[in-house]
Amino acid sequence: MMLGAFFWGGMADKVGRRQCLLICMSIHGFFAFLSSFVQGYGFFLLCRMIAGFGIGGAVPIVFSYFAEVLSREKRGEHLSWLCMFWMIGEIYASAMAWAIIPHYGWSFSMGSAYQFHSWRVFVVVCALPCVCAVVALTFMPESPRFYLEVGKHDEAWMILKQIHDTNMRARGQPEKVFTVNRIKIPKQIDEFVEMQTESGSLLSKVIFRVKSELHGIWLTFLKCFNYPVKDITVKLATVWLTLSFGYYGLSVWLPDVIKHLQADEYASKVQRHTHERIEDFTFNFTLENQIHTNSLFVNDRFINMKFKSVTFINSTFQNCYLEEVTSVGSFFRNCTFIECVFYNTDVDDSKLINTDIVNSTFYHKKTGCQMTFEDDYSAYWVYFVNFLGTLAVLPGNIVAALLMDKIGRLSMLGFSMILSGISCFFLWFGTSESMVIGMLCLYNGLSISAWNSLDVVTVELYPTDRRGTGFGFCNALCKLAAVLGNLIFGSLVGITKAVPILLASSVLVSGGLVGLRLPDTRSNVLM
C-alpha cells in the first residue's frame, strides 16, 4: 500500500484521476478475490501484496478527484462526508469479521488438497465493495481540472457542461443554459521525450515506457519540494507520520492488552492438583484450566474428550488409552508415558516437552488446527472490540463534517490530535476490559476529526499538477508509520504500559502542534 500510494498518486497527475483509479481498484478487486481461493501461503502473500499495491493508490486519487469537482463553499464538508465512508468501510469489515470468521462450520473441502474456510468467505465479502466501485466508476467523468492542466480544453468544457446540466436538473431548472465567460488555463510546460525507434522490440518499448513514466513521477515528486510548497510538504509529512504512528500503533496494542487482561483473569482461576493417583477411570468430558503436578494415571481411558489449557508436570501415564482426544493450549512437561496407546489424537512433539515415551504407540494422528473460537474466546473478542472501536468514530465523523467549514480545518486538526494524545493517558488507569474498551472508543472518536481535517488540508494545499503526487507521498508515509507502529507497539504488548502510552501521547501532541502551523485553506480556491 505504501508503494501503491506513491506510484498511483504520481500516475494520476500524468494520465488522469479516473483512469488510474479504475486501474488500481481493478487490480485490488481481482487479486483480493484470487487470494481467497489460493491454497499456498506464498501465493496468498503475493496476491495480498499486489492487492495492497492496487488499493494503496485509491486514497490519494479519490480525494484529489472529488475535490476537483467541488465548489469552494462546501468543499470541506463534502470531503468530510467522503472521509466518513472510510470509517463505514472499517465498520463493514469489522462487522463482517465478527459475523463470519468465528463460524468454522462455513467451510468445505475438495479432497485433502483444497480447503475453503470461513475466513476465505470474509476475504470475498470484503472485496465486493471494490467490485461495485469499479462498476460505478465506469459511469464517472474525468476531472475537468486535470484536463485543463494537460491542455485538453474541449474535454474539460464538456465535463463542466455535464456537471452544470446535472445540477440544474436537480434544482428543477433544466432549461438554464451552460455559459462560460472565462476559463483560467495553466501555463503548459512542453516535455520532450525521445521515443524508441519502430525497430525496437516490444519488450524494449515496454521497458522504455515504464522508465519514462517512473522518471516523470519522480520529477513531479521533486516539484513537491520546490517553492511555494516545500515547507508545506515537510509539515504535512510530519503530521501524517505522527498521526498514523499513534493511531495504528495503539490499534495493535489495545486489543492485545485486552487479551492479556483476559488471560490474567483466566489464569487466576486455575485449579491445581498435586500428588493425585487415578486408576481404572474413564475421562469422557472436558478438562479445563488445570495444572496437575506429580500425578499418576494407571489403566485410565481418555475417550472423546478435550484438554483445554491443562498442564501436566512431572506426571506418569501407565497403560493408558487415548482416543479422539484434542488438546488446546495443553502441555505435558517432564512427564512419562509407559505402554500407552494414542488413537486419532493431536498430541504431538510440540506438546510433549521433555517427556519420555516408553513402549507407546501412535495411530492416525490428527492434523491441522483443532482450535475453535469457543476454545479461544479472547480471539473472538478481538473482532468485537474492533467493531466497537470503529463504530465509535461515527459521531466524530458527523461532527467533523458539519463543523469543517465553520471552525476551520487547522483548528480541528491540531486540537483533535492534542486531545487524542491527552486521552491516551487515561489508558494508564485501564485495569479492566470495559475500561480499556471505553478508552479505545474515546480515543477513536477524538482522533477521527484529525484524519478528516488532514485529508481535506492535504488535498487543498497542493496545486493540480502535483496534487495526486503530494497526497500519494504523504499517504505512503502514513503506511510507513503504520508499519513502524505495528512493530514497535506490538513488541511492547504484555511488557509495559508506560512506554506505549507516553510514546503515543507525545507523538500525537507534537503532530498536532505542527498541524496548527499549516496555512489555512478554508477560503482558498484550489491551485
Side-chain angles (χ1 to χ4, degrees):
M1 289 180 73
M2 178 177 67
L3 296 175
F6 184 77
F7 176 78
W8 292 113
M11 286 296 291
D13 286 334
K14 291 179 64 62
V15 301
R17 282 67 164 118
R18 174 182 172 273
Q19 183 175 344
C20 283
L21 192 56
L22 267 172
I23 295 172
C24 68
M25 294 291 282
S26 299
I27 291 173
H28 170 72
F30 176 77
F31 284 96
F33 263 110
L34 186 61
S35 67
S36 176
F37 298 97
V38 299
Q39 296 294 299
Y41 184 60
F43 195 21
F44 173 79
L45 286 183
L46 177 63
C47 289
R48 296 311 302 179
M49 285 185 65
I50 300 175
F53 179 74
I55 201 63
V59 173
I61 298 175
V62 78
F63 277 98
S64 302
Y65 184 24
F66 191 43
E68 291 172 358
V69 294
L70 291 172
S71 63
R72 177 178 56 188
E73 293 78 13
K74 290 287 186 178
R75 191 169 59 223
E77 178 183 340
H78 286 288
L79 285 172
S80 297
W81 292 126
L82 178 63
C83 293
M84 189 169 71
F85 283 88
W86 173 31
M87 290 297 118
I88 291 175
E90 282 200 347
I91 292 172
Y92 170 80
S94 58
M96 291 300 101
W98 182 30
I100 294 174
I101 296 179
H103 294 280
Y104 274 20
W106 296 7
S107 62
F108 67 88
S109 60
M110 298 171 60
S112 60
Y114 190 86
Q115 306 286 332
F116 194 91
H117 296 291
S118 57
W119 68 266
R120 297 180 181 272
V121 179
F122 167 69
V123 173
V124 171
V125 169
C126 284
L128 290 177
C130 182
V131 177
C132 298
V134 170
V135 174
L137 279 169
T138 59
F139 299 97
M140 298 290 289
E142 182 56 89
S143 161
R145 289 189 67 91
F146 171 76
Y147 272 152
L148 289 174
E149 185 69 42
V150 296
K152 297 182 178 181
H153 309 144
D154 292 339
E155 291 87 342
W157 186 89
M158 292 300 294
I159 294 172
L160 290 171
K161 182 179 184 304
Q162 180 183 347
I163 293 172
H164 170 272
D165 294 344
T166 302
N167 288 338
M168 290 304 106
R169 283 196 301 271
R171 293 181 181 180
Q173 301 173 349
E175 71 283 353
K176 195 165 184 179
V177 179
F178 176 64
T179 56
V180 176
N181 297 324
R182 180 174 62 92
I183 291 181
K184 184 178 180 181
I185 300 173
K187 183 184 295 185
Q188 301 299 316
I189 301 176
D190 296 328
E191 294 184 358
F192 176 76
V193 179
E194 182 181 355
M195 302 302 296
Q196 294 285 81
T197 63
E198 293 295 329
S199 59
S201 65
L202 177 62
L203 179 61
S204 63
K205 291 180 180 179
V206 170
I207 294 174
F208 175 78
R209 180 62 185 271
V210 171
K211 288 173 62 177
S212 64
E213 295 293 351
L214 291 175
H215 182 66
I217 292 172
W218 180 251
L219 292 178
T220 307
F221 168 66
L222 294 179
K223 289 168 62 178
C224 293
F225 291 89
N226 293 341
Y227 179 84
V229 295
K230 178 182 178 180
D231 292 340
I232 290 172
T233 299
V234 174
K235 291 176 182 176
L236 282 174
T238 303
V239 178
W240 275 96
L241 276 169
T242 53
L243 180 58
S244 180
F245 182 81
Y247 179 82
Y248 287 105
L250 286 178
S251 296
V252 169
W253 183 67
L254 285 173
D256 277 316
V257 168
I258 295 172
K259 290 182 68 174
H260 274 266
L261 289 173
Q262 290 177 333
D264 291 342
E265 182 182 0
Y266 188 75
S268 67
K269 299 177 181 179
V270 66
Q271 301 176 16
R272 298 180 180 274
H273 304 272
T274 306
H275 295 101
E276 59 185 346
R277 179 186 177 94
I278 302 176
E279 294 186 48
D280 299 316
F281 186 80
T282 299
F283 294 87
N284 55 5
F285 48 87
T286 298
L287 296 179
E288 180 178 0
N289 199 18
Q290 299 178 5
I291 297 177
H292 297 261
T293 306
N294 298 320
S295 299
L296 176 62
F297 299 87
V298 181
N299 296 325
D300 293 321
R301 296 169 61 84
F302 300 85
I303 310 293
N304 292 319
M305 56 91 61
K306 177 182 291 185
F307 294 115
K308 182 178 177 182
S309 299
V310 178
T311 302
F312 295 92
I313 303 173
N314 297 324
S315 298
T316 301
F317 296 79
Q318 185 173 346
N319 293 319
C320 292
Y321 179 77
L322 296 86
E323 179 180 345
E324 294 290 347
V325 173
T326 57
S327 53
V328 176
S330 299
F331 301 95
F332 301 86
R333 299 179 185 275
N334 303 318
C335 295
T336 303
F337 287 89
I338 303 173
E339 296 182 347
C340 295
V341 176
F342 297 81
Y343 183 84
N344 203 23
T345 72
D346 66 347
V347 179
D348 55 20
D349 293 340
S350 65
K351 299 174 182 179
L352 302 172
I353 302 172
N354 296 327
T355 293
D356 295 326
I357 307 297
V358 181
N359 296 330
S360 298
T361 310
F362 291 81
Y363 299 99
H364 303 289
K365 282 189 178 181
K366 291 179 182 288
T367 59
C369 180
Q370 305 299 320
M371 183 181 293
T372 67
F373 275 83
E374 287 74 25
D375 299 324
D376 189 12
Y377 186 67
S378 60
Y380 182 87
W381 261 82
V382 169
Y383 299 110
F384 178 63
V385 170
N386 200 332
F387 174 73
L388 289 179
T390 52
L391 193 63
V393 306
L394 273 180
N397 251 310
I398 296 172
V399 171
L402 296 177
L403 298 181
M404 187 67 68
D405 288 316
K406 293 182 173 60
I407 68 174
R409 294 88 158 103
L410 299 186
S411 299
M412 294 194 68
L413 172 61
F415 290 115
S416 175
M417 290 187 68
I418 292 171
L419 290 175
S420 298
I422 294 174
S423 70
C424 290
F425 281 106
F426 292 102
L427 292 169
W428 201 295
F429 307 101
T431 55
S432 66
E433 296 173 35
S434 57
M435 290 180 65
V436 174
I437 292 172
M439 293 302 102
L440 170 64
C441 293
L442 175 64
Y443 170 76
N444 285 353
L446 289 172
S447 63
I448 189 58
S449 296
W451 282 110
N452 291 10
S453 306
L454 186 58
D455 288 330
V456 175
V457 168
T458 303
V459 82
E460 290 179 335
L461 282 175
Y462 284 107
T464 303
D465 66 333
R466 68 199 92 163
R467 181 168 293 120
T469 304
F471 204 124
F473 168 66
C474 291
N475 202 248
L477 290 179
C478 168
K479 305 309 176 190
L480 176 62
V483 172
L484 294 175
N486 289 345
L487 292 174
I488 294 173
F489 282 79
S491 65
L492 297 172
V493 171
I495 298 176
T496 176
K497 265 187 170 183
V499 175
I501 291 173
L502 292 175
L503 184 61
S505 297
S506 58
V507 164
L508 288 168
V509 171
S510 301
L513 295 175
V514 173
L516 290 172
R517 304 285 296 176
L518 287 166
D520 189 7
T521 58
R522 184 170 20 168
S523 58
N524 289 4
V525 177
L526 288 183
M527 292 183 285

